[in-house]
Amino acid sequence: MPRTPLEIGTYGKIRYSAVSGGWRARAKFRDYDGRVRDVERTGKTQGKAAQRLRAAIKEWTGSTMGELTGETRLSELAKLWLEGIEDDVARGEKSPSTLDAYRSILARHVMPGLGELRIREATVARIDRFLGTLQRNVGASSAKTARTVLSGMLGLATRYDVIEMNPTREARRISSGVTRKPRALDERERVEWLRQLEQNDKAVRWDLPDLSRFMMATGVRIGEALGVFWQDVDFDVRTVDIAHTVVRVKGQGLLRKAKPKTEKSERLLPLPSWAVQLLRERYRTAWEGGRSLDSPVFPSTDGGLRDPSNVLRVLREIRGCDEFLWVTSHTFRKTTATALDDADVPTRLIADHLGHARPSMTQDTYLGRSTVNPATAAALEGLFDNPSTGKGGDKVGN
């Protein structure tokens, strides 16, 4: 009966023989071109010789990708996958905060739950059970991120022919439950919100009144607002260039990162006159304080970048009464979107203004309209009074 051939990228039994000064370890290795080659290394002991042999086989192709097999543990697959994400971050294709989020979910949940499984053992049933448990015990948000990470990892294994299909794609979709309706600040709430901020000493120290006004004037994200420098503001044509965002990167601190969230996030926004006046007053103060154009419009106390997470923390602290407990930084974006929608600005233009790639995102998530328009009732008033006719004159149903 013929011997079963070695799988690609694997080696056979290690054989040992004594040599001058130690031991030789030798094994047959089936290379990635299909050929079987003898590989050997020596060491003072059998263990040292075997260790050097395995290291030589590991480095044989010059690529870690070739090492993936069905026996590779998910913990090792995760390391290889993260290397690819790190490369994406270095090229500016992904945000450093995305890499931090993936590392965190791997360390806290995915590796403790699935890290010791072999790739061949990562079945749809096991992944589905893991995601369901994570959703129940921790929450939908963590389960969604874990699903994204597992899909990326096992997608890598699929591309290198370790498995035929990505089991994560067949696992459960994570639902967050009832989707909350978009809510924006109405005219009365906007006035009351700013009044409350201006009467709060901590809010004033943290510059929240002006920051709230700027974010409602532009609809930018919190990181984008804090990433605006004076050189991005053009007072002559009344525009602001949104081309950066502020992120905190582990081991590096706060960074002003070029390219905000998506390609569509890079945009030149027109400013309403009241926002131009606000920025003129702030620029006058900055100029009198000796600050250059290469400095933030909304700086920290020492004139540098402000941490978006700290600003959000203070925002939560000073929301105060029950009336504004629902307010977040995204409420200001929704307020901008709704104001533009009320002014009959097309959804496509609103999406461009907010930096969305898809108008459907703007429509579903950011437009907080809930007004009753009597025009719809008027149009349906005579629905059963007279036979309807189409635009071409034909009666409906003919």
Side-chain angles (χ1 to χ4, degrees):
M1 183 175 179
R3 181 180 299 176
T4 303
L6 292 169
E7 293 288 336
I8 295 290
T10 64
Y11 57 92
K13 181 179 179 180
I14 299 177
R15 306 179 303 279
Y16 301 96
S17 58
V19 295
S20 176
W23 292 84
R24 175 187 290 113
R26 174 182 290 178
K28 292 188 178 297
F29 170 69
R30 191 171 183 209
D31 210 339
Y32 300 103
D33 59 4
R35 296 179 181 178
V36 177
R37 292 180 169 86
D38 285 320
V39 184
E40 63 178 52
R41 289 294 184 271
T42 59
K44 290 185 178 181
T45 65
Q46 286 188 3
K48 283 289 185 182
Q51 183 179 12
R52 290 175 179 174
L53 174 66
R54 293 190 184 99
I57 292 173
K58 186 176 181 180
E59 297 172 1
W60 188 267
T61 63
S63 170
T64 56
M65 294 304 184
E67 300 168 30
L68 290 182
T69 71
E71 299 302 313
T72 303
R73 296 187 189 275
L74 292 190
S75 56
E76 292 301 314
L77 176 63
K79 293 177 184 177
L80 297 179
W81 178 72
L82 276 179
E83 288 176 7
I85 302 298
E86 289 167 356
D87 290 342
D88 290 343
V89 171
R91 290 192 300 270
E93 295 175 7
K94 280 188 170 60
S95 168
S97 57
T98 298
L99 175 60
D100 288 342
Y102 289 166
R103 283 174 173 160
S104 176
I105 206 74
L106 278 166
R108 290 185 294 116
H109 301 299
V110 178
M111 289 302 98
L114 300 174
E116 291 304 305
L117 289 181
R118 312 284 182 177
I119 291 177
R120 62 177 173 79
E121 297 172 329
T123 61
V124 174
R126 289 191 175 107
I127 291 174
D128 193 81
R129 185 163 52 247
F130 167 76
L131 293 175
T133 302
L134 187 61
Q135 182 177 7
R136 287 192 301 273
N137 296 340
V138 181
S141 178
S142 294
K144 283 183 177 181
T145 306
R147 191 181 192 280
T148 299
V149 166
L150 284 168
S151 182
M153 289 167 50
L154 293 165
L156 176 64
T158 305
R159 293 194 299 276
Y160 283 86
D161 296 324
V162 179
I163 50 179
E164 292 184 359
M165 53 84 73
N166 186 339
T168 317
R169 294 185 178 276
E170 303 302 322
R172 70 181 64 201
R173 297 284 174 180
I174 309 299
S175 172
S176 300
V178 178
T179 302
R180 291 180 297 176
K181 283 186 177 181
R183 185 174 177 184
L185 292 163
D186 62 27
E187 185 176 357
R188 183 197 64 79
E189 289 170 333
R190 293 195 291 270
V191 173
E192 180 59 26
W193 171 257
L194 292 173
R195 185 194 65 78
Q196 179 175 304
L197 291 183
E198 287 166 347
Q199 292 179 353
N200 187 300
D201 291 340
K202 188 169 187 177
V204 172
R205 286 199 309 274
W206 279 78
D207 217 359
L208 293 185
D210 278 3
L211 182 60
S212 296
R213 289 185 175 95
F214 179 78
M215 291 182 68
M216 284 189 276
T218 57
V220 297
R221 303 172 179 90
I222 182 69
E224 293 171 340
L226 299 179
V228 173
F229 278 26
W230 286 114
Q231 61 195 12
D232 301 321
V233 180
D234 190 326
F235 288 110
D236 293 331
V237 295
R238 305 197 329 185
T239 60
V240 59
D241 189 13
I242 306 300
H244 297 82
T245 190
V246 176
V247 295
R248 178 173 289 281
V249 179
K250 189 175 181 179
Q252 300 182 54
L254 286 177
L255 297 179
R256 182 176 182 247
K257 184 178 77 74
K259 289 189 178 180
K261 191 172 182 180
T262 65
E263 288 186 10
K264 286 288 185 180
S265 297
E266 296 183 50
R267 58 209 189 274
L268 188 67
L269 299 180
L271 293 168
S273 59
W274 58 267
V276 174
Q277 182 60 32
L278 168 73
L279 292 175
R280 284 189 186 278
E281 293 172 2
R282 292 185 64 87
Y283 181 66
R284 186 180 303 111
T285 302
W287 182 79
E288 291 172 353
R291 289 173 46 213
S292 68
L293 290 174
D294 190 25
S295 63
V297 172
F298 297 96
S300 63
T301 52
D302 63 1
L305 296 172
R306 294 172 67 181
D307 191 331
S309 296
N310 290 339
V311 175
L312 294 176
R313 173 179 53 79
V314 175
L315 182 68
R316 290 191 295 270
E317 290 175 5
I318 56 85
R319 285 182 297 195
C321 62
D322 291 343
E323 182 179 7
F324 293 119
L325 284 177
W326 55 275
V327 172
T328 68
S329 65
H330 261 50
T331 302
F332 306 138
R333 276 170 69 74
K334 293 172 183 176
T335 300
T336 305
T338 300
L340 294 174
D341 191 37
D342 287 339
D344 293 327
V345 175
T347 304
R348 173 73 266 178
L349 290 182
I350 300 175
D352 289 343
H353 189 93
L354 296 180
H356 289 158
R358 294 179 290 110
S360 58
M361 165 67 79
T362 309
Q363 187 73 50
D364 297 341
T365 310
Y366 284 85
L367 299 185
R369 300 184 70 177
S370 57
T371 57
V372 177
N373 192 331
T376 56
L380 298 171
E381 192 69 46
L383 190 62
F384 294 103
D385 292 344
N386 299 297
S388 300
T389 57
K391 289 185 178 180
D394 293 332
K395 290 185 178 181
V396 176
N398 288 347

